[in-house]
């Protein structure tokens, strides 16, 4: 067990600055600190310090072959980590960074070998959360940061989620309140002539295409039974698993009610995850609302998945969402979190 310091940055400005400097000192001296980004909380360590980065893998129980994203505050710092940047990346940075997008580019070797898990490429992103940016500026070194959850669990969207998973395993936690987007950044392979989405996320395919024309999607993402090996190593692992099994149910509220009724008749305790309109049509005992819009669902999804604990319910039923805009990221995560897909 290590002592995990906790800084609460919703007080006054002067105190915030002091806390950010303390947290930055922890990072630049080789420690691990979790911090909010606009997507999910990240668990940071100095990306140029192999020993520090190793602590991230240990704290999360993360497979060694899964590379980390390097976080920086500016485009200049981003360019200091990579070679051979295609022209379309300038356009993407101009439009979407700071923001929920990660560029996979040829590494120039500045990042520690365990950041890239031995690959020749490195994922780099500029988060837009003011606390993340302040921390990155104060560190003045790239910070490697995966989502700040135990490997296999849903990503953390509040400081309490991080605490639940990692207290006693990391050096610090900067509490900046709930994150905004709620699903992770879009990971884009920018080493080819045409950008390729390796992980759908906060910026949708449609939004990318408005700026750079054609965008491809890693074939391994399109077919669950694909023989293709995903190009983002992290995408091959099951992920986001709640405490109890979750079934993803196609076919809207009527189908959800029918599956619910069957399970209840078998004596099961069932919890529902669905948006408000769906819940209004259901007759169920336990439910968590994910809000109304797809953006609401993205923001509240991981919290919803974490809320149902063993003992509360035997099974979670969640509805499916249209794969448009951020719906692509939502369905990608839900399919990974689900132990069963109930087709219409
Ligand atoms: O929004 C986010 O991206 C959050 C916040 C904290 O920034 N971070 C995050 O990191 O989601 P993580 O480690 O949970 O997911 C990173 C994903 C993994 O699927 C990983 O395999 C992929 O990005 N990735 C990282 N570097 C890569 C590379 N060089 N080539 C291909 N995929 C890479
Ligand atoms: Mg993760």
């Amino acid at each position: 067990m290590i002592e995990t310091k906790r800084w609460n940055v919703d007080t006054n400005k002067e105190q915030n600055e002091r806390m950010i400097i303390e947290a930055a000192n922890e990072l630049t001296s080789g420690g691990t600190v979790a911090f909010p980004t606009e997507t999910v909380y990240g668990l940071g360590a100095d990306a140029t310090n192999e020993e520090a980065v190793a602590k991230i893998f240990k704290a999360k129980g993360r497979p060694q072959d899964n590379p980390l994203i390097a976080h920086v505050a500016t485009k200049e710092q981003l360019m200091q980590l990579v070679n051979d940047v295609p022209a379309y990346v300038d356009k993407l940075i101009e439009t979407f960074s700071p923001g929920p997008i990660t560029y996979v580019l040829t590494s120039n070797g500045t990042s520690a070998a365990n950041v890239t898990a031995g690959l020749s490429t490195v994922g780099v992103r500029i988060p837009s959360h003011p606390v993340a940016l302040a921390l990155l500026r104060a560190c003045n070194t790239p910070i490697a940061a995966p989502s700040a959850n135990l490997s296999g669990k849903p990503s953390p969207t509040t400081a309490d989620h991080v605490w639940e998973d990692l207290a006693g395993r990391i050096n610090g936690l900067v509490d900046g309140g709930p994150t905004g987007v709620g699903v992770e950044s879009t990971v884009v392979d920018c080493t080819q002539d045409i950008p390729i989405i390796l992980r759908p996320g906060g910026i949708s395919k449609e939004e990318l295409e408005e700026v750079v024309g054609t965008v491809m999607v890693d074939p391994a993402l399109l077919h669950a039974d694909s023989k293709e090996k995903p190009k983002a190593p992290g995408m091959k692992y099951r992920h986001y698993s709640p405490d109890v099994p979750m079934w993803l149910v196609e076919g809207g509220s009527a189908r959800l009610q029918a599956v619910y009724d069957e399970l209840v008749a078998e004596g099961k305790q069932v919890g529902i995850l669905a948006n408000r309109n769906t819940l209004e049509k259901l007759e169920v005992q336990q439910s968590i609302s994910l809000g109304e819009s797809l953006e609401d669902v993205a923001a509240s999804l991981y919290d919803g998945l974490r809320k149902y604990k063993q003992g509360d319910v035997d099974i979670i039923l969640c509805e499916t969402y249209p794969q448009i805009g951020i719906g692509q990221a939502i369905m990608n995560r839900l399919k990974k979190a689900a132990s069963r897909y109930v087709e219409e």
Side-chain angles (χ1 to χ4, degrees):
M1 283 278 280
I2 46 183
E3 193 208 332
T4 306
K5 277 178 226 146
R6 186 159 172 164
W7 297 278
N8 206 330
V9 294
D10 57 10
T11 48
N12 70 54
K13 191 164 173 271
E14 237 166 74
Q15 263 182 27
N16 284 358
E17 277 166 17
R18 182 180 52 74
M19 288 187 282
I20 292 288
I21 288 169
E22 272 182 34
N25 285 341
E26 196 67 62
L27 284 166
T28 50
S29 58
T32 49
V33 174
F35 60 94
T37 80
E38 74 281 21
T39 58
V40 300
Y41 273 75
L43 175 60
D46 181 349
T48 63
N49 178 341
E50 186 157 2
E51 225 173 284
V53 171
K55 294 178 188 169
I56 293 179
F57 285 89
K58 185 163 175 235
K60 285 188 50 117
R62 183 177 176 102
Q64 299 288 334
D65 68 346
N66 194 3
L68 307 179
I69 295 169
H71 294 64
V72 293
T74 65
K75 183 178 175 184
E76 288 66 43
Q77 289 175 326
L78 190 156
M79 293 299 172
Q80 282 163 19
L81 301 177
V82 297
N83 287 330
D84 311 324
V85 180
Y88 65 76
V89 171
D90 281 314
K91 281 198 206 167
L92 291 174
I93 293 178
E94 196 102 319
T95 315
F96 299 116
S97 296
I101 181 167
T102 296
Y103 309 100
V104 171
L105 289 157
T106 308
S107 171
N108 67 8
T110 304
S111 306
N114 50 356
V115 171
T116 61
L119 297 176
S120 60
T121 55
V122 61
V124 201
R125 94 173 186 96
I126 308 175
S128 64
H129 195 293
V131 172
L133 281 174
L135 189 62
L136 291 169
R137 275 192 220 104
C139 289
N140 199 30
T141 183
I143 297 296
S147 49
N149 49 280
L150 283 174
S151 223
K153 293 263 159 216
S155 300
T157 52
T158 68
D160 285 343
H161 295 163
V162 179
W163 196 258
E164 179 178 88
D165 279 14
L166 297 178
R169 305 173 71 93
I170 60 177
N171 298 110
L173 164 60
V174 181
D175 180 349
T179 60
V181 179
V183 291
E184 299 87 338
S185 63
T186 306
V187 178
V188 187
D189 178 357
C190 299
T191 63
Q192 312 292 318
D193 293 341
I194 293 175
I196 308 168
I197 295 176
L198 305 185
R199 176 180 74 178
I203 304 287
S204 67
K205 180 168 188 273
E206 296 89 319
E207 287 173 289
L208 294 173
E209 285 186 326
E210 259 174 51
V211 176
V212 292
T214 307
V215 171
M216 307 216 297
V217 176
D218 183 358
L221 289 181
L222 297 176
H223 321 283
D225 55 352
S226 169
K227 298 277 179 306
E228 306 269 351
K229 206 168 135 215
K231 287 222 259 159
M235 298 302 283
K236 70 173 180 278
Y237 295 107
R238 236 192 102 214
H239 257 139
Y240 318 106
S241 301
D243 228 32
V244 291
M246 187 269 275
W247 291 7
L248 195 51
V249 182
E250 258 184 356
S253 56
R255 185 86 176 104
L256 206 52
Q257 184 74 57
V259 177
Y260 175 91
D261 290 342
E262 257 172 58
L263 287 166
V264 169
E266 289 169 16
K268 298 271 189 334
Q269 297 278 348
V270 184
I272 304 279
L273 268 184
N275 76 0
R276 195 170 306 137
N277 299 336
T278 306
L279 289 181
E280 275 167 9
K281 295 181 198 132
L282 297 180
E283 272 183 55
V284 297
Q285 292 286 326
Q286 293 195 66
S287 62
I288 293 173
S289 167
L290 298 177
E292 272 173 43
S293 63
L294 284 178
E295 282 69 26
D296 294 343
V297 174
S300 53
L301 184 62
Y302 292 144
D303 186 60
L305 285 173
R306 277 177 180 264
K307 272 211 176 103
Y308 286 117
K309 306 280 183 205
Q310 251 175 48
D312 302 341
V313 295
D314 303 309
I315 199 156
I316 305 166
L317 296 183
C318 181
E319 68 180 334
T320 57
Y321 290 93
Q323 305 213 31
I324 42 170
I326 203 159
Q328 287 163 7
I330 293 170
M331 283 303 290
N332 171 269
R333 306 309 191 266
L334 281 175
K335 283 181 185 166
K336 284 174 176 288
S339 57
R340 185 161 163 189
Y341 193 89
V342 184
E343 276 169 300
E344 206 171 347

